[in-house]
mmCIF file of all heavy atoms in Angstrom:
data_model
loop_
_atom_site.group_PDB
_atom_site.id
_atom_site.type_symbol
_atom_site.label_atom_id
_atom_site.label_comp_id
_atom_site.label_asym_id
_atom_site.label_seq_id
_atom_site.Cartn_x
_atom_site.Cartn_y
_atom_site.Cartn_z
ATOM 1 N N GLN A 64 93.221 93.375 96.722
ATOM 2 C CA GLN A 64 94.715 92.874 96.906
ATOM 3 C C GLN A 64 94.729 91.387 97.315
ATOM 4 O O GLN A 64 95.783 90.841 97.041
ATOM 5 C CB GLN A 64 95.289 93.742 98.160
ATOM 6 C CG GLN A 64 95.479 95.153 97.677
ATOM 7 C CD GLN A 64 95.921 95.937 98.899
ATOM 8 O OE1 GLN A 64 95.142 96.427 99.802
ATOM 9 N NE2 GLN A 64 97.270 96.201 98.853
ATOM 10 N N HIS A 140 87.577 100.119 98.858
ATOM 11 C CA HIS A 140 89.102 100.176 99.077
ATOM 12 C C HIS A 140 89.688 100.115 97.652
ATOM 13 O O HIS A 140 90.443 99.096 97.272
ATOM 14 C CB HIS A 140 89.542 99.007 99.974
ATOM 15 C CG HIS A 140 90.961 99.057 100.478
ATOM 16 N ND1 HIS A 140 91.295 98.818 101.820
ATOM 17 C CD2 HIS A 140 92.149 99.420 99.906
ATOM 18 C CE1 HIS A 140 92.480 99.071 102.071
ATOM 19 N NE2 HIS A 140 93.098 99.257 100.820
ATOM 20 N N TRP A 141 89.386 101.039 96.904
ATOM 21 C CA TRP A 141 90.046 101.488 95.575
ATOM 22 C C TRP A 141 89.831 100.649 94.318
ATOM 23 O O TRP A 141 90.477 100.829 93.289
ATOM 24 C CB TRP A 141 91.558 101.417 95.780
ATOM 25 C CG TRP A 141 92.053 102.239 97.000
ATOM 26 C CD1 TRP A 141 91.372 103.031 97.844
ATOM 27 C CD2 TRP A 141 93.403 102.321 97.450
ATOM 28 N NE1 TRP A 141 92.239 103.537 98.782
ATOM 29 C CE2 TRP A 141 93.548 103.129 98.557
ATOM 30 C CE3 TRP A 141 94.663 101.749 97.017
ATOM 31 C CZ2 TRP A 141 94.650 103.437 99.249
ATOM 32 C CZ3 TRP A 141 95.832 102.001 97.762
ATOM 33 C CH2 TRP A 141 95.867 102.821 98.789
ATOM 34 N N ASN A 184 88.315 103.760 102.213
ATOM 35 C CA ASN A 184 89.611 103.641 102.585
ATOM 36 C C ASN A 184 90.457 104.697 102.055
ATOM 37 O O ASN A 184 90.581 104.874 100.919
ATOM 38 C CB ASN A 184 90.170 102.268 102.233
ATOM 39 C CG ASN A 184 91.659 102.125 102.805
ATOM 40 O OD1 ASN A 184 91.841 101.956 103.854
ATOM 41 N ND2 ASN A 184 92.693 102.239 101.719
ATOM 42 N N GLU A 185 91.113 105.543 103.098
ATOM 43 C CA GLU A 185 92.081 106.491 102.575
ATOM 44 C C GLU A 185 91.634 107.475 101.478
ATOM 45 O O GLU A 185 92.206 107.381 100.266
ATOM 46 C CB GLU A 185 93.403 105.740 102.260
ATOM 47 C CG GLU A 185 94.053 105.031 103.345
ATOM 48 C CD GLU A 185 95.333 104.502 103.113
ATOM 49 O OE1 GLU A 185 95.920 104.522 102.111
ATOM 50 O OE2 GLU A 185 96.050 103.995 104.115
ATOM 51 N N GLU A 188 94.649 108.852 99.359
ATOM 52 C CA GLU A 188 95.191 108.116 98.296
ATOM 53 C C GLU A 188 94.322 107.949 97.109
ATOM 54 O O GLU A 188 94.700 107.954 95.995
ATOM 55 C CB GLU A 188 95.497 106.675 98.827
ATOM 56 C CG GLU A 188 96.919 106.573 99.630
ATOM 57 C CD GLU A 188 96.898 107.395 100.854
ATOM 58 O OE1 GLU A 188 95.908 107.472 101.528
ATOM 59 O OE2 GLU A 188 98.044 108.047 101.140
ATOM 60 N N ASN A 247 99.305 109.811 108.716
ATOM 61 C CA ASN A 247 100.794 109.756 109.140
ATOM 62 C C ASN A 247 100.958 110.986 110.060
ATOM 63 O O ASN A 247 100.141 111.957 109.941
ATOM 64 C CB ASN A 247 101.708 109.684 107.993
ATOM 65 C CG ASN A 247 101.587 108.340 107.202
ATOM 66 O OD1 ASN A 247 101.498 107.298 107.979
ATOM 67 N ND2 ASN A 247 101.596 108.395 105.891
ATOM 68 N N ASN A 327 94.494 104.848 109.273
ATOM 69 C CA ASN A 327 95.533 104.041 108.733
ATOM 70 C C ASN A 327 96.772 104.745 109.063
ATOM 71 O O ASN A 327 96.930 105.934 108.697
ATOM 72 C CB ASN A 327 95.446 103.723 107.340
ATOM 73 C CG ASN A 327 94.354 102.806 106.900
ATOM 74 O OD1 ASN A 327 93.676 102.351 107.815
ATOM 75 N ND2 ASN A 327 94.149 102.582 105.578
ATOM 76 N N TYR A 329 101.066 104.606 109.427
ATOM 77 C CA TYR A 329 102.301 103.761 109.136
ATOM 78 C C TYR A 329 103.639 104.526 109.451
ATOM 79 O O TYR A 329 104.538 103.852 109.938
ATOM 80 C CB TYR A 329 102.373 103.570 107.638
ATOM 81 C CG TYR A 329 101.343 102.499 107.224
ATOM 82 C CD1 TYR A 329 100.093 102.732 106.688
ATOM 83 C CD2 TYR A 329 101.925 101.165 107.036
ATOM 84 C CE1 TYR A 329 99.200 101.847 106.326
ATOM 85 C CE2 TYR A 329 100.977 100.175 106.555
ATOM 86 C CZ TYR A 329 99.695 100.447 106.254
ATOM 87 O OH TYR A 329 98.818 99.516 105.897
ATOM 88 N N THR A 330 103.689 105.870 109.436
ATOM 89 C CA THR A 330 104.906 106.507 109.521
ATOM 90 C C THR A 330 104.852 108.015 109.874
ATOM 91 O O THR A 330 103.751 108.457 110.162
ATOM 92 C CB THR A 330 105.720 106.309 108.174
ATOM 93 O OG1 THR A 330 107.151 106.771 108.361
ATOM 94 C CG2 THR A 330 105.186 107.276 107.129
ATOM 95 N N TRP A 369 108.267 104.671 101.105
ATOM 96 C CA TRP A 369 107.573 105.730 101.943
ATOM 97 C C TRP A 369 107.570 105.289 103.503
ATOM 98 O O TRP A 369 107.279 106.163 104.369
ATOM 99 C CB TRP A 369 106.199 105.997 101.525
ATOM 100 C CG TRP A 369 105.421 104.699 101.238
ATOM 101 C CD1 TRP A 369 105.260 104.009 100.091
ATOM 102 C CD2 TRP A 369 104.620 103.933 102.236
ATOM 103 N NE1 TRP A 369 104.508 102.981 100.243
ATOM 104 C CE2 TRP A 369 104.003 102.885 101.540
ATOM 105 C CE3 TRP A 369 104.145 104.215 103.592
ATOM 106 C CZ2 TRP A 369 103.237 101.883 102.208
ATOM 107 C CZ3 TRP A 369 103.517 103.217 104.289
ATOM 108 C CH2 TRP A 369 102.970 102.215 103.521
ATOM 109 N N GLU A 397 94.660 100.147 109.947
ATOM 110 C CA GLU A 397 95.858 99.586 109.213
ATOM 111 C C GLU A 397 97.226 100.079 110.007
ATOM 112 O O GLU A 397 97.293 101.256 110.307
ATOM 113 C CB GLU A 397 96.066 100.012 107.826
ATOM 114 C CG GLU A 397 95.170 99.245 106.896
ATOM 115 C CD GLU A 397 95.326 99.817 105.379
ATOM 116 O OE1 GLU A 397 96.404 100.149 105.019
ATOM 117 O OE2 GLU A 397 94.303 99.753 104.755
ATOM 118 N N TRP A 440 98.137 95.415 109.243
ATOM 119 C CA TRP A 440 98.290 95.297 107.955
ATOM 120 C C TRP A 440 99.623 94.426 107.603
ATOM 121 O O TRP A 440 100.545 95.009 107.743
ATOM 122 C CB TRP A 440 98.219 96.583 107.174
ATOM 123 C CG TRP A 440 98.211 96.293 105.766
ATOM 124 C CD1 TRP A 440 99.305 96.149 104.904
ATOM 125 C CD2 TRP A 440 97.106 96.198 104.851
ATOM 126 N NE1 TRP A 440 98.826 95.812 103.506
ATOM 127 C CE2 TRP A 440 97.515 95.839 103.555
ATOM 128 C CE3 TRP A 440 95.755 96.211 104.968
ATOM 129 C CZ2 TRP A 440 96.604 95.680 102.471
ATOM 130 C CZ3 TRP A 440 94.830 96.145 103.975
ATOM 131 C CH2 TRP A 440 95.293 95.760 102.664
ATOM 132 N N GLU A 447 100.331 94.508 96.136
ATOM 133 C CA GLU A 447 100.674 95.869 96.691
ATOM 134 C C GLU A 447 100.589 96.909 95.538
ATOM 135 O O GLU A 447 101.403 97.689 95.166
ATOM 136 C CB GLU A 447 102.038 95.958 97.356
ATOM 137 C CG GLU A 447 102.340 97.317 98.134
ATOM 138 C CD GLU A 447 101.076 97.925 99.042
ATOM 139 O OE1 GLU A 447 100.421 97.114 99.533
ATOM 140 O OE2 GLU A 447 101.194 99.197 99.129
ATOM 141 N N TRP A 448 99.306 97.035 94.985
ATOM 142 C CA TRP A 448 99.056 98.115 94.079
ATOM 143 C C TRP A 448 100.105 98.415 92.945
ATOM 144 O O TRP A 448 100.476 97.329 92.341
ATOM 145 C CB TRP A 448 98.723 99.482 94.835
ATOM 146 C CG TRP A 448 97.712 99.324 95.874
ATOM 147 C CD1 TRP A 448 97.979 99.191 97.163
ATOM 148 C CD2 TRP A 448 96.314 98.915 95.739
ATOM 149 N NE1 TRP A 448 96.748 98.921 97.820
ATOM 150 C CE2 TRP A 448 95.835 98.703 96.949
ATOM 151 C CE3 TRP A 448 95.396 98.781 94.674
ATOM 152 C CZ2 TRP A 448 94.509 98.387 97.238
ATOM 153 C CZ3 TRP A 448 94.140 98.449 94.767
ATOM 154 C CH2 TRP A 448 93.612 98.297 96.132
ATOM 155 N N PHE A 456 103.753 92.456 103.003
ATOM 156 C CA PHE A 456 103.287 92.919 104.459
ATOM 157 C C PHE A 456 102.647 91.987 105.271
ATOM 158 O O PHE A 456 102.195 92.211 106.406
ATOM 159 C CB PHE A 456 102.230 93.999 104.067
ATOM 160 C CG PHE A 456 102.684 95.490 103.820
ATOM 161 C CD1 PHE A 456 102.954 95.786 102.531
ATOM 162 C CD2 PHE A 456 102.912 96.352 104.843
ATOM 163 C CE1 PHE A 456 103.369 97.002 102.190
ATOM 164 C CE2 PHE A 456 103.404 97.629 104.527
ATOM 165 C CZ PHE A 456 103.652 98.008 103.211
HETATM 166 C C1 LIG B 1 100.380 98.912 102.582
HETATM 167 C C2 LIG B 1 98.922 99.478 102.616
HETATM 168 O O1 LIG B 1 98.935 100.758 102.336
HETATM 169 C C3 LIG B 1 97.794 101.504 102.340
HETATM 170 O O2 LIG B 1 97.855 102.723 101.802
HETATM 171 C C4 LIG B 1 98.910 103.632 102.175
HETATM 172 C C5 LIG B 1 99.337 104.501 101.153
HETATM 173 C C6 LIG B 1 100.312 105.512 101.367
HETATM 174 C C7 LIG B 1 100.777 105.513 102.658
HETATM 175 N N1 LIG B 1 101.865 106.474 103.057
HETATM 176 O O3 LIG B 1 102.226 106.582 104.189
HETATM 177 O O4 LIG B 1 102.283 107.227 102.127
HETATM 178 C C8 LIG B 1 100.402 104.722 103.610
HETATM 179 C C9 LIG B 1 99.457 103.686 103.362
HETATM 180 C C10 LIG B 1 96.544 100.833 101.754
HETATM 181 O O5 LIG B 1 95.365 101.244 102.354
HETATM 182 C C11 LIG B 1 96.602 99.271 101.841
HETATM 183 O O6 LIG B 1 95.726 98.778 100.761
HETATM 184 C C12 LIG B 1 97.971 98.783 101.628
HETATM 185 O O7 LIG B 1 98.495 98.873 100.272
#
Side-chain angles (χ1 to χ4, degrees):
Q64 293 178 274
H140 196 132
W141 308 356
N184 180 70
E185 296 191 351
E188 279 63 35
N247 290 320
N327 290 354
Y329 285 88
T330 192
W369 50 269
E397 279 182 33
W440 183 276
E447 181 53 25
W448 309 109
F456 277 89

